[in-house]
Amino acid sequence: MLNFDYHAPSRIVFGKDTQKQVGDLLKGYGIKKVLLHYGGGSIKKSGLYDQVIASLKGAGIGWAELGGVKPNPRLTLVREGIALSKKEGAELILAVGGGSVIDSAKAIAAGVCYDGDVWELYQDNSISITKAMPVATILTIPAAGSESSEGTVITDEENSRKYPYNHNLLRPLFSILNPELFFTLPKAQLGYGVADIMSHLFERYFTNTQNTDLTDRLIEANLRTIIKYAPVVYGNMEDYDAWAEIGFGGFTAHGGLFGMGREQDWGCHDMEHELSAYYDVPHGGGLAVLTPAWMTYVYKENVPMFVQFAVNVMGVDGSFRDPDAIVLEGIDRLRAFFKRIGLPGTLAELGIGEDKLEMMAKQGTHTRLSPGQTEKPLGGLKKLYWQDILAIYKLAAK
Amino acid sequence: MLNFDYHAPSRIVFGKDTQKQVGDLLKGYGIKKVLLHYGGGSIKKSGLYDQVIASLKGAGIGWAELGGVKPNPRLTLVREGIALSKKEGAELILAVGGGSVIDSAKAIAAGVCYDGDVWELYQDNSISITKAMPVATILTIPAAGSESSEGTVITDEENSRKYPYNHNLLRPLFSILNPELFFTLPKAQLGYGVADIMSHLFERYFTNTQNTDLTDRLIEANLRTIIKYAPVVYGNMEDYDAWAEIGFGGFTAHGGLFGMGREQDWGCHDMEHELSAYYDVPHGGGLAVLTPAWMTYVYKENVPMFVQFAVNVMGVDGSFRDPDAIVLEGIDRLRAFFKRIGLPGTLAELGIGEDKLEMMAKQGTHTRLSPGQTEKPLGGLKKLYWQDILAIYKLAAK
């Protein structure tokens, strides 16, 4: 086990009707005015917007508002939010939506307190902010884990760049999770969300670090629960108890705890960011396609790790003396699971052809270089250079 | 799953040599003077005291000090610490030790900011403090989980009363866990610590709440890891990797997350507090004796819960159609596990005779009553009245 420094102070208010507490919660923290940040019309159609406004009014909290966040949230809207927050004197960004809205809110929260242009943080992750405006969230899609994480991912849509920035100051002050708010999601969002949650666990799980039993077991527990309940929700989008397991599992997956003391990977996330930067595909869709391909390509680097995954997570019988067969059966079962909840299996199904694969593989490894560096490999369990990434993209192609 | 409000902001700095960071960590929080609180001579003998002083000096942090905390920490020393903190102008209580030292530090932290006498909080848990001095810890025994919990347990030694108090403001600002510091513990402490950690998981695990799969699985993962590594440490008290799993597992067990969304029990803890209040026995020793007796007495209230425990935690084959036999085999295996790591199996082994059992059973249920209440049962899965507690004590007697 490696040394670690764990700090995840976000408060999670979970359960039925909890969105109605938002005004009182903000008041408890002494907040007087917020920037209310959201996406399209869905929160208005569902009535959530009205509930939030009623709760703010009831607690005497003022607000300015900025809607219009799209999936793969845009830098231009972030800049608009920074200007608006300053002009309106907002003291907190209240994100009502999914990961895109929360990521956009975090970018605004960092940008308001940062002297330069906010995109500098995403271009150069070595910049450590010293201050950020607080963010609170009401989650409408369990997926990105942004409700408890330190991360934000923003897309510079003019230059097709999609970059993350992580800082502990960006963890939300509090997040409200009411599984009832997930009932009205389009069915496809369930799959995208589940693929993202599982990827947050995979990125932490697959490691060459030894002596990590507790976190291995906790991650497996989280994965098995998600795998059990995702098809239940897929069959009935209004199953509260099944959604509750997925919502709870979404914030534990990305809260940080389960990655402590171990090297992490993040290769699939980084490879996916290229897909969604160029093709604007759903992040979870890209992950569902790339993850089994990545596993197939890298597993020989650490066969016991992948045998453990196949047996403990995918339920493969591990008592036979053919580890490769055990691993490949585990990967097949993961593919079948993704398919069962409506996720795509190939880049072709995502509408991605083969013409840009090499270019994307090189983009992923040839930007944001350190001085003197000519290529920055992705991943951890196996370092992925552009040829590796291209091979994985090709494995995932069709 | 029940609604919940989760907030565990303690920072955990974990790993080799981390105790040497204490001065710089405190400086990072703007602290200038601390009350250094510890137990007997062991931290002086081991050299830890000198390392802490060197780190404080190096960072320019002043300190006053108060040693002398004993297991089942005493109210009189807490009162002394409150007076000393005020006199010396300490800004934080730095606890260097195990759960007793940390619990004592939390009591001082609450008491310094509380207008009445600190014992009032323990006598009447409905009093909610609004302020507490921050606490930081350097853990020397993984057991009580006090390094990440909101709880403190103090003994009024003059009246043989041992009571808990819980408040989120009492969670440590940060806790330093270096498994190397556990190498010099007496072997008996390993068993006591493990019994306490496991009990923190059992108290959350055994519930009648339905639809709690994620937390069920996470608790089982934690228990299985502890059960795997405790005998390894018992065989080699200097095994860093095994201690690391137990140290990590100790703070996750009592950090709060795994009890969210479910009714909890705490019957064994409350029954044990009577034993250690009257007989000053080690808390973990009392728990090791009472827990299997409690399981035997209550399991028929919720057989599927105890079958799940026997199969998923104790590894009993669950594929036979005799649930009682499965449960009893699970309890037997738990007894055998406790014995294997040197823990007592009966009250007699703890030096506790049968003469005070009825009196203790009544004390546990007839104090701290609400107005109009004549008896306050303990526990959750099954409400335990004094006759139940006496029956459990008798089952555990010899």
Side-chain angles (χ1 to χ4, degrees), chain B residues 205 220 223-224 227 306-320 326-327 329-331 333-334:
Chain B
Y205 185 70
E220 289 162 359
L223 283 166
R224 276 157 46 220
I227 290 172
F306 282 87
V307 168
Q308 179 181 279
F309 160 72
V311 174
N312 290 356
V313 179
M314 302 313 302
V316 179
D317 186 337
S319 66
F320 297 94
I326 293 169
V327 171
E329 171 66 19
I331 298 171
R333 289 190 187 189
L334 179 65

Side-chain angles (χ1 to χ4, degrees), chain B residues 68-321:
Chain B
V69 182
K70 291 184 185 154
N72 301 318
R74 274 43 169 196
L75 179 59
T76 45
L77 194 72
V78 168
R79 288 185 178 135
E80 204 179 315
I82 293 168
L84 186 62
S85 295
K86 286 179 177 171
K87 181 177 152 235
E88 294 282 345
E91 299 162 335
L92 177 146
I93 318 293
L94 175 60
V96 182
S100 297
V101 174
I102 301 172
D103 280 10
S104 183
K106 288 176 175 176
I108 296 169
V112 167
C113 302
Y114 180 68
D115 279 339
D117 177 71
V118 68
W119 188 242
E120 292 170 17
L121 304 175
Y122 294 80
Q123 284 182 302
D124 179 1
N125 281 185
S126 72
I127 302 173
S128 182
I129 55 172
T130 55
K131 219 182 138 188
M133 191 173 278
V135 170
T137 88
I138 300 176
L139 188 69
T140 59
I141 310 172
S146 194
E147 67 277 13
S148 65
S149 81
E150 60 181 10
T152 152
V153 184
I154 295 294
T155 297
D156 172 3
E157 69 273 30
E158 286 161 15
N159 298 296
S160 294
R161 302 311 311 139
K162 182 176 177 179
Y163 288 145
Y165 182 72
N166 296 303
H167 199 287
N168 213 48
L169 287 171
L170 299 181
R171 290 193 193 268
L173 181 66
F174 66 84
S175 287
I176 292 174
L177 272 78
N178 175 0
E180 293 172 311
L181 301 181
F182 312 151
F183 290 178
T184 51
L185 285 173
K187 206 161 196 165
Q189 293 294 335
L190 181 264
Y192 297 147
V194 163
D196 199 9
I197 291 170
M198 290 177 68
S199 185
H200 295 146
L201 294 160
F202 290 147
E203 303 284 22
R204 291 175 168 92
Y205 185 70
F206 290 104
T207 187
N208 295 318
T209 310
Q210 293 294 313
N211 303 302
T212 56
D213 277 74
L214 177 61
T215 41
D216 281 8
R217 294 297 91 72
L218 294 173
I219 293 171
E220 289 162 359
N222 207 337
L223 283 166
R224 276 157 46 220
T225 308
I226 299 292
I227 290 172
K228 177 174 174 186
Y229 284 103
V232 177
V233 172
Y234 196 71
N236 173 11
M237 292 291 286
E238 299 197 356
D239 187 318
Y240 181 88
D241 296 314
W243 267 127
E245 302 284 352
I246 292 171
F248 197 159
F251 87 77
T252 52
H254 209 30
L257 184 66
F258 299 168
M260 290 298 109
R262 48 199 298 144
E263 278 178 17
Q264 303 182 21
D265 196 277
W266 299 98
C268 286
H269 262 68
D270 283 341
M271 286 189 289
E272 198 294 314
H273 288 168
E274 298 305 319
L275 303 187
S276 44
Y278 282 98
Y279 291 94
D280 203 17
V281 295
H283 179 49
L287 289 169
V289 169
L290 291 179
T291 302
W294 171 82
M295 290 179 171
T296 308
Y297 188 77
V298 306
Y299 84 86
K300 283 187 193 289
E301 297 288 313
N302 191 337
V303 173
M305 181 87 241
F306 282 87
V307 168
Q308 179 181 279
F309 160 72
V311 174
N312 290 356
V313 179
M314 302 313 302
V316 179
D317 186 337
S319 66
F320 297 94
R321 53 179 173 172

Side-chain angles (χ1 to χ4, degrees), chain A residues 6 46 68-69 84 102 105 113 144-145 188 195 213 229 237 252 255 264 295 323 339 343 350 367 369 375:
Chain A
Y6 171 69
S46 70
V69 182
L84 187 62
I102 301 172
C113 302
D213 277 75
Y229 284 104
M237 292 291 287
T252 52
Q264 303 182 22
M295 289 178 172
K339 190 173 176 185
L343 283 162
L350 282 170
T367 53
L369 300 174
E375 180 174 4

